[in-house]
Amino acid sequence: MALKIGLLGLGTVGTGTAKILLNPAERSPLLQEIEIYRVGVRSLDKSRDVSLPQKLMTTALETIVTDPAIDVVVEVLGGIEPARSLILQAIAHGKHIVTANKAVIARHGDEIFTAAEEAGVYVLLEAAVGGGIPVIQPLKQSLGANRISSITGIVNGTTNYILTRMQTERGEFTDILADAQKLGYAEADPTADVDGLDAADKIAILASLAFGGRIKLQDVHCEGIRQVSAADIAYAEKLGFVIKLLAVAKREKTPAIASPEGEVLQVRVHPALVPKNHPLASISGVYNAILVEGEPIGQVMFFGPGAGSGPTASAVVADILNIAAVLKTSKDAEQLHPLLSCVHQHYSTIAPMSELVTRFYARFLTKDRPGVIGQLGTSFGNHSVSLESIVQTGFQGELAEIVVVTHDVREGNFRDALEEMRVLEAVDSIPSILRVV
Ligand code: HSE
């Protein structure tokens, strides 16, 4: 008997998903046993890029999640509501869930996974992070033998596209963003992408899987790319770096704070200077990549298209196939497959950013007179911040531009030193502060 799918949403990802399911030739033979049973849409009149019988379509989405004939609800609506309520209702009706919705999982994963465990159903989300790149299942299955120490990702294509163009064209953020919006590479409201929120959702999900604890999204430090300037990109290049928006989740080796679960993580999103020989430095344009480090594997990197109809649908259908395979072979329907389900309950402890130990790049605008570099050096010294380099790089109008790169420092100390410098009469401003990988 075919596995019956209720598809919620027939936008970019829903259309891609339907196209694969309707055209199974030369793909997995298991696709022959999967049937699109109902499709929930906002409007019945809209012309579509896929041909589905009109009788499958409905605007009454609730009738899909409560339909006893449906086995799997595929939620590709995006956004928080009604997606969250429909997912919870579907789970309450015993349906397995496949979703591409990182926002709903990052914010409401706790109630969704708790409900799913109680109901004995799967919630699979390969498409929620990295579009078509397989990374969720590898973390759950193929890398299961490893102690994961860190995940570092470029998980937002829009910002990577903007930063890549800023680098190649020497353009400023606002001009490139406006052009990216015209060309359809950035949304009319670009906030979720350029302020790092989309990447924060994704790294919260990856951290939860890699380190086996729930993540409170509000604990994830999040900075976007609005403050990155063409000047910083040019200086970074001279120093041997490119600037990337990184999403990082790391196990703290020597945590400065205690955790009831005995484990402390860093989970953060921010632009960073990445050495040109780092595996993530060459990821350009809209592509995504996720570098996982663990013991004993060392480094493994997943690379590919992080968005788009076909790639994201490829991940959605992979999840549908996983459920189909498990349901077909499982003798014990009461027991969820331990490598597919998500059962951790506790929350991971996230270290405050002040405890992060990292290198920094900072750009100062100061009065141009003798002794200024000495004053900056003294303030850094007062807070135990050791400098790798400090150079006057040129002028902006009347003001001297000074670029500093530190050795590894505690972020709290570095910030204290900056506060001391901000009030110096010779310091006009500190336009950029970026971490260095
Ligand atoms: N808006 C995302 C990006 C794609 O720019 O990568 C969907 O996750």
Side-chain angles (χ1 to χ4, degrees):
M1 216 172 65
L3 187 82
K4 295 192 170 52
I5 303 295
L7 182 60
L8 297 179
L10 201 52
T12 310
V13 182
T15 302
T17 302
K19 280 186 182 171
I20 297 174
L21 295 177
L22 294 172
N23 180 11
E26 294 166 33
R27 308 185 206 272
S28 164
L30 203 50
L31 280 173
Q32 315 275 1
E33 299 172 37
I34 294 167
E35 172 190 350
I36 302 179
Y37 188 77
R38 302 263 22 218
V39 182
V41 292
R42 239 173 248 139
S43 157
L44 292 173
D45 305 326
K46 202 171 156 189
S47 74
R48 311 271 172 192
D49 190 24
V50 61
S51 145
L52 281 159
Q54 198 65 21
K55 67 174 194 314
L56 299 190
M57 315 273 252
T58 176
T59 56
L61 305 189
E62 275 195 33
T63 62
I64 293 183
V65 297
T66 56
D67 187 332
I70 286 175
D71 303 296
V72 179
V73 166
V74 176
E75 184 275 310
V76 286
L77 297 164
I80 304 297
E81 286 294 354
R84 171 189 155 273
S85 303
L86 290 166
I87 288 173
L88 288 170
Q89 241 183 315
I91 290 171
H93 283 81
K95 312 216 176 297
H96 303 285
I97 306 293
V98 171
T99 179
N101 193 331
K102 68 237 138 191
V104 96
I105 294 296
R107 281 165 194 74
H108 301 287
D110 41 11
E111 59 176 335
I112 290 171
F113 286 109
T114 301
E117 210 205 333
E118 275 166 24
V121 298
Y122 297 103
V123 177
L124 300 191
L125 50 126
E126 185 61 71
V129 182
I133 306 172
V135 64
I136 305 278
Q137 278 313 108
L139 282 173
K140 286 183 185 175
Q141 300 190 342
S142 330
L143 294 173
N146 290 271
R147 280 194 199 103
I148 306 292
S149 51
S150 72
I151 297 185
T152 312
I154 293 173
V155 290
N156 184 268
T158 305
T159 44
N160 204 46
Y161 171 85
I162 293 171
L163 289 173
T164 303
R165 280 195 53 191
M166 285 175 73
Q167 192 186 337
T168 47
E169 297 166 29
R170 299 270 174 255
E172 286 296 353
F173 168 78
T174 39
D175 302 329
I176 306 276
L177 170 64
D179 198 48
Q181 285 172 313
K182 246 190 263 158
L183 296 171
Y185 286 103
E187 306 269 350
D189 176 0
T191 311
D193 293 317
V194 303
D195 292 329
L197 310 173
D198 172 81
D201 289 348
K202 292 169 177 168
I203 196 67
I205 293 171
L206 293 180
S208 177
L209 287 163
F211 301 110
R214 292 177 172 178
I215 305 289
K216 292 201 180 93
L217 196 56
Q218 64 267 27
D219 291 345
V220 178
H221 175 84
C222 181
E223 288 169 41
I225 63 164
R226 288 184 202 265
Q227 84 279 20
V228 177
S229 69
D232 295 318
I233 289 181
Y235 289 131
E237 180 149 25
K238 273 194 207 144
L239 295 164
F241 297 95
V242 291
I243 297 182
K244 294 287 182 193
L245 182 71
L246 295 187
V248 181
K250 233 179 191 163
R251 208 188 282 273
E252 280 283 8
K253 282 194 215 95
T254 49
I257 56 163
S259 150
E261 299 295 333
E263 177 151 271
V264 180
L265 306 179
Q266 302 167 15
V267 188
R268 49 192 163 92
V269 171
H270 53 74
L273 271 69
V274 177
K276 282 183 190 164
N277 62 358
H278 188 282
L280 290 169
S282 57
I283 308 304
S284 51
V286 294
Y287 284 97
N288 283 195
I290 298 117
L291 178 69
V292 179
E293 293 180 79
E295 185 277 320
I297 192 160
Q299 293 190 328
V300 58
M301 189 157 93
F302 302 89
F303 163 79
S309 177
T312 311
S314 152
V316 167
V317 176
D319 280 346
I320 300 173
L321 284 169
N322 257 314
I323 293 175
V326 169
L327 297 185
K328 200 176 153 80
T329 54
S330 167
K331 293 194 178 63
D332 182 0
E334 294 295 305
Q335 194 78 37
L336 288 173
H337 189 306
L339 296 183
L340 280 182
S341 60
C342 217
V343 291
H344 47 251
Q345 298 282 336
H346 73 277
Y347 284 87
S348 294
T349 304
I350 312 281
M353 286 301 278
S354 58
E355 294 304 328
L356 179 69
V357 174
T358 182
R359 290 200 289 159
F360 276 96
Y361 157 101
R363 185 161 56 90
F364 294 77
L365 292 177
T366 71
K367 303 229 163 93
D368 182 37
R369 63 175 184 228
V372 175
I373 286 188
Q375 279 184 305
L376 300 184
T378 302
S379 290
F380 279 126
N382 289 343
H383 295 275
S384 314
V385 174
S386 163
L387 300 185
E388 186 178 293
S389 68
I390 179 162
V391 277
Q392 181 166 341
T393 49
F395 290 92
Q396 288 220 3
E398 300 276 280
L399 296 169
E401 195 167 43
I402 296 171
V403 167
V404 169
V405 177
T406 74
H407 286 297
D408 264 345
V409 296
R410 190 181 151 272
E411 177 149 349
N413 290 25
F414 180 77
R415 299 272 170 199
D416 289 344
L418 292 186
E419 285 321 301
E420 191 174 305
M421 284 178 264
R422 271 185 219 282
V423 296
L424 292 175
E425 192 265 331
V427 173
D428 176 85
S429 58
I430 312 174
S432 332
I433 302 158
L434 293 162
R435 294 171 192 84
V436 180
V437 170

